[in-house]
Amino acid sequence: MAQVPQTFFDALAVRTWCGLALEALGRAREEIDAINVYPVADGDTGTNLYLTMESAVTAVEAVFAAHGLESGPDPRPTLADTARAMAHGALIGARGNSGTILAQLLRGMAQVLSADGTLPHTDGPGLRLALRQAADRAREAVAHPVEGTVLTVAAAAADAASDTDGDCGTVAAAAYRGAWAALAATPGQLAVLERAGVVDAGGRGLVAVLGALVETFTGQAPGAGGPGAGVHARVDAVEAPDPAEHGPGAPAAEECGGDGAGPDGPAFEVIYLLEADDRAVARLRTRLDALGDSLVVVGGDGLWNVHVHVDDAGAAVEAGVEAGRPYRIRITHFGLGDAHTGGGRPPRERVQRAVVAVVPGEGLAGLYSEAGATTVLARPGEPPVSGELVEAVRRAHAREVVLLPNDADLRHTAAAAAEQARTEGIRVALIPTRSAVQGIAALAVHEPERRFDEDVVSMTSAAGATRHAEVVVAERQSWTMAGICQAGDILGLIDGDVAVIGADVTVTAAAVLDRMLSAGGELVTLVLGDEAPGAIAEHLEARVRESYLAVDTMVYRGGRQGALLLIGVE
């Protein structure tokens, strides 16, 4: 079905483009993975680009959903809000070298699209400027740019767009044609591509994204009679490399320059998000550049995504700690795909069963990990996408996996991840936990030695028997089940519905706890956020001890979990 074309580059066009780009990368993912022979010949460029774009789409959809709840003549978000959400989503979800560069390309475009926050849309000239900014910012983010990579393709797209007058559709089609021509020439610029008989994998992904941009403004995908028709055959005819010939030991070149990773290159890929100021990041770039190669640092305004290939992964993380606060740290050993496995050792045997859980704070992540679970950290306002959950299931390295989303809003994301894992031969049971305290209850009765079905039933029963609540600060005025709340009010939510509105955190929490225990209970679980009052735990423990006989209380520190307090009653 033909896409309804967008006349201008407005918020809806950004949303449409992101969705179409995700679909295009999904269709091309396996092809792109197959031709990925560098920076490491690990066949994951297509997957990394897809996961990065999926994170951008999730952020854009969240902005539209939030505005859809507001009243007014036009509930849609502004172009600036949508573009910034796209860039932020890509930044926090960027995977691998290619995904990190894609995130910076989207950030460069967003800088132009959001420059004047009052403009409802931009036109052809605005799109030309955005494409140029994208190419320039991406190249600046790479420590040692090399031609014949996605950077070359992005620059060619921007050059072609700059030489074209017309509306957004015309400019997008010119950029797409320029990108295809540059992509077809990449084997002549990098010897590793020529030896493998392939084009640059990252550049191939960018062409798919630009094809989606053409479809956004013309209603037709390139190659189907629209702009750029007939260009596909030149590149799609390139034969994918034989995995046996161009596998992990094949020659590799650097996307960013250097000798590449592999038998003679750095052993680890290190990626993390970093909260730091510009001066600290400048020092970090110098430090990491001396430690390894394939260095790409993208972002700004206090939040960065850092990617580097090194032999000393600990030193790369330590450099991040010195610069600011690193989190979502991912370390991958190129030879084995597991940062905790020594070189030359055979892959470890799969365990029979594992638990994978989404947790809202660092404190809970530690608690769950101590109990043997593989965790996925969900920071406030940054829910994980399905690809992150699938990766966690793979990381658990088990034949059977129990998945705990611990959030009602993640049920569809978790279901998609479970379905994907099942296609890979992993038996997955999804327990629809709505809160981390329900996950704690489920994990407490988990017994890997039991039959899988029995274990899942027991964990599901424990979670279902746990009522959950949270104490949060209202962000805006709104109608609730308990009446009208104002911004700054303290809200007590029981099983997802607002039950108490107050002005004091401790008083509101006590009222919530009393309501929950009025129906009975044997164990109260309190998970404190880092902004909760210091004495709240002692106050609530004393209240339970004095007012409710034979009820025990457990207290945990959740860290930056979003809510001031999580409460569970079993």
Side-chain angles (χ1 to χ4, degrees):
M1 180 181 296
Q3 174 70 34
V4 177
Q6 303 294 317
T7 305
F8 296 104
F9 209 162
D10 59 5
L12 184 58
V14 173
R15 183 190 198 185
T16 301
W17 175 40
C18 288
L20 290 173
L22 184 64
E23 293 176 9
L25 289 171
R27 291 191 299 269
R29 182 182 62 81
E30 291 185 1
E31 173 201 337
I32 297 172
D33 282 346
I35 64 174
N36 171 206
V37 295
Y38 72 94
V40 184
D42 52 359
D44 64 355
T45 290
T47 300
N48 287 336
L49 289 170
Y50 179 87
L51 293 175
T52 302
M53 200 71 219
E54 184 184 39
S55 184
V57 168
T58 299
V60 169
E61 291 300 324
V63 168
F64 269 82
H67 280 75
L69 298 175
E70 298 179 0
S71 60
D74 187 0
R76 290 186 301 179
T78 64
L79 171 61
D81 287 343
T82 309
R84 281 193 287 260
M86 171 187 70
H88 181 73
L91 176 67
I92 64 174
R95 298 304 180 92
N97 199 27
S98 54
T100 306
I101 293 174
L102 175 61
Q104 190 70 347
L105 287 166
L106 296 180
R107 179 178 175 82
M109 292 193 71
Q111 287 175 334
V112 173
L113 299 177
S114 63
D116 187 341
T118 63
L119 289 179
H121 61 258
T122 191
D123 52 13
L127 178 56
R128 289 202 307 266
L129 183 60
L131 290 167
R132 171 53 63 194
Q133 179 85 339
D136 291 347
R137 292 296 170 266
R139 187 169 288 268
E140 291 170 1
V142 175
H144 303 287
V146 167
E147 299 307 324
T149 67
V150 63
L151 300 177
T152 305
V153 176
D159 290 343
S162 298
D163 294 336
T164 303
D165 293 323
D167 59 13
C168 288
T170 303
V171 172
Y176 173 78
R177 289 191 295 268
W180 263 124
L183 179 66
T186 55
Q189 296 172 294
L190 277 178
V192 64
L193 299 179
E194 187 173 25
R195 287 194 299 268
V198 298
V199 294
D200 175 65
R204 175 66 183 89
L206 178 58
V207 166
V209 172
L210 291 173
L213 188 65
V214 174
E215 187 175 359
T216 298
F217 295 116
T218 68
Q220 290 184 304
V231 186
H232 275 284
R234 291 210 308 269
V235 179
D236 287 349
V238 175
E239 183 179 358
D242 182 346
E245 181 180 355
H246 303 291
E254 274 297 316
E255 183 86 23
C256 310
D259 298 326
D264 300 319
F268 296 100
E269 177 184 59
V270 179
I271 304 174
Y272 49 79
L273 292 178
L274 176 70
E275 293 178 355
D277 60 38
D278 290 0
R279 287 184 297 177
V281 170
R283 294 192 295 270
L284 176 66
R285 288 179 191 270
T286 302
R287 173 84 180 275
L288 292 179
D289 195 26
L291 287 176
D293 52 37
S294 276
L295 174 61
V296 186
V297 181
V298 303
D301 302 320
L303 180 62
W304 308 82
N305 190 305
V306 178
H307 169 282
V308 67
H309 294 172
V310 293
D311 280 321
D312 189 343
V317 175
E318 181 182 345
V321 172
E322 293 176 358
R325 194 179 77 85
Y327 59 98
R328 287 198 184 180
I329 301 168
R330 297 181 66 249
I331 301 172
T332 303
H333 189 289
F334 287 123
L336 299 172
D338 185 337
H340 303 289
T341 303
R345 294 171 56 186
R348 60 190 173 98
E349 182 71 18
R350 284 184 179 274
V351 298
Q352 182 60 32
R353 189 175 309 157
V355 176
V356 172
V358 179
V359 291
E362 294 88 345
L364 280 177
L367 173 67
Y368 273 73
S369 296
E370 288 174 5
T374 298
T375 61
V376 177
L377 186 61
R379 297 179 61 79
E382 301 174 5
V385 295
S386 62
E388 291 180 81
L389 301 189
V390 172
E391 284 198 0
V393 170
R394 293 169 181 155
R395 194 167 69 245
H397 208 63
R399 299 181 182 90
E400 302 167 338
V401 171
V402 180
L403 182 57
L404 306 175
N406 291 339
D407 187 337
D409 292 336
L410 289 178
R411 61 187 184 277
H412 297 306
T413 300
E419 188 61 32
Q420 173 61 37
R422 291 181 189 119
T423 66
E424 299 177 10
I426 304 171
R427 189 179 185 188
V428 181
L430 171 61
I431 298 179
T433 47
R434 299 164 60 88
S435 170
V437 292
Q438 288 188 324
I440 291 173
L443 200 55
V445 300
H446 168 55
E447 292 186 13
E449 295 78 17
R450 277 192 298 220
R451 289 179 53 248
F452 186 61
D453 292 338
E454 292 178 356
D455 198 26
V456 171
V457 168
S458 178
M459 294 176 72
T460 301
S461 177
T466 303
R467 300 188 68 196
H468 62 94
E470 59 181 338
V471 178
V472 300
V473 179
E475 296 181 354
R476 63 174 69 87
Q477 182 189 60
S478 62
W479 291 87
T480 76
M481 297 284 288
I484 301 176
C485 73
Q486 305 295 328
D489 283 348
I490 306 301
L491 306 181
L493 291 82
I494 299 178
D495 294 335
D497 294 322
V498 177
V500 180
I501 300 175
D504 181 82
V505 176
T506 303
V507 173
T508 302
V512 168
L513 191 54
D514 286 341
R515 290 201 184 193
M516 297 179 75
L517 287 173
S518 65
E522 299 176 353
L523 175 65
V524 172
T525 300
L526 305 176
V527 183
L528 307 180
D530 58 1
E531 296 183 0
I536 189 171
E538 293 180 6
H539 179 85
L540 295 179
E541 282 186 285
R543 188 179 189 87
V544 171
R545 186 170 55 251
E546 295 167 3
S547 303
Y548 303 95
L549 297 177
V551 177
D552 296 324
T553 305
M554 297 293 294
V555 180
Y556 303 104
R557 299 284 174 178
R560 299 181 59 185
Q561 62 185 21
L564 298 171
L565 176 68
L566 300 177
I567 304 174
V569 173
E570 302 176 46

